Amino acid sequence: MISNNFRKLILLISLIGFTTSMMSQRLVTSIDSTSIFIGEEITYKLEIHSDTLAQIKFPESESFVPMEVLKTYDSDTIVSNEKYIVSKKYGLTNFDAASYILPKQKVVFGDTTLFSDSKKIEVKLVEVDTSKQGLYDIKPIFITNKEYDLFRYIPYLILLLIIVFLYIYRNKIFKSKKFQYEKSPYQKAKDEINLISKSGYTAAEGAKEYYSKLSFIIRNFLEIKVFDHSLESTTDELLYELKRIKSSGKLKLTSSTLNNLHQVLQTADLVKFAKYYPDEDIAKKDTEKIKITVDEINNILPEPTIEELKKDYEFHQKLLKQERSKRIKKAIIGFMGLLISTVLIASVLFGFTYVKDSILR
């Protein structure tokens, strides 16, 4: 009897923890219309309501098939009643008349995956009543012998516009960027730790956000350098994997390093799920532990080989060449757009035949 009661108690605690975790993040969807005409834009909105901030991955354009994405808006964050509301909007449409089912959308919030409800959307044809269209007589031909002396200055105007365009955008087109390495994962982690240390800590109000950031910093560092499932693993799973790596001899992790990491992640779990608010002194000590842990792990990581460094340099050089090629293409497209616009404006003012005979021939 005692054994059964004990099992029930453990099950009840697990259910409460799971329910609290699920309720701390909520996905809300909205759409401004479920019935549109062909080519008409509708706005589809995803909102995440949460007590804390974490890394969010919204769906890509491909996940909205059979609908087409006209525009993807930037995400927006609002703080209301000590809750965070992170939203993202998409402009959708379709060019074939039919009934469509917009599939469930997947949103990843930290280590939690949320799904939206599917939506039914009707795309209708645009009704045109041709019997009510008015009929008009053909306009007579208007003949003029007027000469446009001003037109001979159009080529000089086009040349002037080209020179002005090249002068304004000369830096973007011709200036080459200096090669710069990105910060290493170790340096990024150190900078982020220093940043949250300077931001200050308040036990009652900022504990969740503080420890969520602290946990994300160390997990993200481990994700890149040690174990590629660190962000999605639980504390126990992560510690088990690190102990396995230690036993295999891949990394010489010390017991002190693992103990410090376990203590901080355990405290972060208590803050997140059990509403535990550590004192400021404890938060400072935990921050120092994470800083020491990052240093210790970085010191035992193998040094990159010369070949790896060479590949990294060549990869960055390739990116710089691609970026310059894109700038040149944009400049050519801009120039062609300017030239075509000038010809079109001249055609409207003086007639296309005159333009063709005077310029394009």
Side-chain angles (χ1 to χ4, degrees):
M1 182 66 70
I2 295 176
S3 178
N4 289 335
N5 290 336
F6 184 69
R7 289 197 198 98
K8 291 179 180 179
L9 180 61
I10 292 177
L11 179 60
L12 180 61
I13 293 173
S14 301
L15 287 173
I16 292 173
F18 177 76
T19 304
T20 305
S21 175
M22 293 296 293
M23 291 179 64
S24 62
Q25 298 98 27
R26 182 165 58 93
L27 178 61
V28 178
T29 61
S30 62
I31 190 168
D32 58 1
S33 178
T34 56
S35 179
I36 61 172
F37 291 110
I38 289 178
E40 183 181 356
E41 181 179 352
I42 54 175
T43 302
Y44 181 77
K45 188 176 182 181
L46 293 168
E47 285 186 351
I48 294 180
H49 297 246
S50 176
D51 296 333
T52 60
L53 284 178
Q55 193 174 40
I56 302 175
K57 184 178 180 182
F58 285 101
E60 301 293 337
S61 300
E62 294 78 9
S63 66
F64 291 93
V65 174
M67 301 300 290
E68 296 186 27
V69 178
L70 294 177
K71 185 176 181 181
T72 301
Y73 297 86
D74 294 334
S75 57
D76 188 24
T77 303
I78 300 174
V79 181
S80 177
N81 296 328
E82 298 183 356
K83 286 184 176 293
Y84 296 94
I85 302 175
V86 184
S87 62
K88 191 172 184 66
K89 295 192 297 184
Y90 301 85
L92 308 178
T93 192
N94 201 295
F95 297 97
D96 293 316
S99 295
Y100 299 97
I101 299 297
L102 183 64
K104 294 181 179 180
Q105 299 302 313
K106 175 182 175 182
V107 180
V108 179
F109 182 85
D111 52 6
T112 303
T113 302
L114 305 172
F115 291 93
S116 68
D117 296 329
S118 58
K119 300 283 186 182
K120 183 179 180 182
I121 300 175
E122 294 282 344
V123 180
K124 301 179 293 186
L125 291 170
V126 179
E127 297 182 1
V128 179
D129 188 356
T130 55
S131 63
K132 295 182 179 180
Q133 290 288 337
L135 300 177
Y136 304 95
D137 293 333
I138 299 174
K139 293 183 178 181
I141 299 174
F142 181 75
I143 302 174
T144 178
N145 295 322
K146 185 178 179 181
E147 295 291 336
Y148 296 98
D149 295 333
L150 184 64
F151 202 91
R152 61 182 179 180
Y153 297 105
I154 294 297
Y156 301 103
L157 177 61
I158 294 175
L159 180 62
L160 179 62
L161 290 175
I162 293 172
I163 294 173
V164 171
F165 176 82
L166 292 175
Y167 177 77
I168 294 174
Y169 294 99
R170 64 188 185 283
N171 290 333
K172 292 184 178 180
I173 299 173
F174 303 108
K175 187 178 180 181
S176 60
K177 291 187 176 180
K178 294 182 179 179
F179 177 77
Q180 292 181 346
Y181 281 105
E182 293 183 0
K183 287 183 180 180
S184 65
Y186 168 71
Q187 190 58 51
K188 285 182 179 178
K190 294 285 287 184
D191 291 346
E192 289 171 357
I193 292 171
N194 291 333
L195 187 62
I196 65 170
S197 297
K198 294 177 181 178
S199 65
Y201 172 83
T202 52
E205 299 176 359
K208 282 188 177 181
E209 182 179 358
Y210 190 91
Y211 272 89
S212 293
K213 289 181 180 179
L214 200 61
S215 175
F216 178 77
I217 290 169
I218 186 63
R219 285 176 179 271
N220 190 53
F221 175 70
L222 293 172
E223 174 96 10
I224 299 171
K225 304 301 293 185
V226 180
F227 174 50
D228 59 0
H229 293 290
S230 298
L231 285 172
E232 61 195 53
S233 300
T234 63
T235 298
D236 291 338
E237 290 172 345
L238 178 57
L239 266 295
Y240 173 81
E241 187 63 28
L242 293 177
K243 289 177 181 178
R244 188 188 65 79
I245 292 173
K246 175 186 176 183
S247 301
S248 66
K250 293 181 180 179
L251 285 180
K252 296 179 180 179
L253 294 165
T254 64
S255 299
S256 174
T257 300
L258 295 177
N259 289 336
N260 285 338
L261 180 61
H262 183 257
Q263 290 172 6
V264 177
L265 292 180
Q266 197 171 46
T267 302
D269 290 340
L270 290 173
V271 171
K272 184 176 181 180
F273 300 113
K275 295 183 179 180
Y276 169 61
Y277 302 123
D279 294 335
E280 184 176 356
D281 291 339
I282 296 176
K284 287 182 179 179
K285 289 179 181 179
D286 287 343
T287 305
E288 189 63 29
K289 286 178 183 178
I290 291 298
K291 185 184 295 186
I292 294 171
T293 300
V294 170
D295 288 336
E296 290 175 347
I297 294 176
N298 184 71
N299 290 335
I300 62 175
L301 290 173
E303 292 290 335
T305 63
I306 295 177
E307 287 297 323
E308 290 174 340
L309 292 174
K310 184 179 178 181
K311 287 181 180 179
D312 184 58
Y313 177 82
E314 291 175 350
F315 175 73
H316 281 77
Q317 289 293 334
K318 184 178 179 180
L319 289 180
L320 290 177
K321 289 181 180 178
Q322 290 176 351
E323 187 177 347
R324 178 162 184 169
S325 177
K326 288 180 180 178
R327 291 201 303 269
I328 293 175
K329 288 180 181 178
K330 287 181 180 179
I332 294 174
I333 292 171
F335 164 72
M336 294 301 298
L338 184 65
L339 181 62
I340 293 172
S341 299
T342 304
V343 173
L344 289 175
I345 293 172
S347 300
V348 172
L349 294 175
F350 308 107
F352 179 73
T353 302
Y354 193 86
V355 174
K356 182 181 66 174
D357 294 340
S358 303
I359 302 291
L360 303 180
R361 184 173 56 187

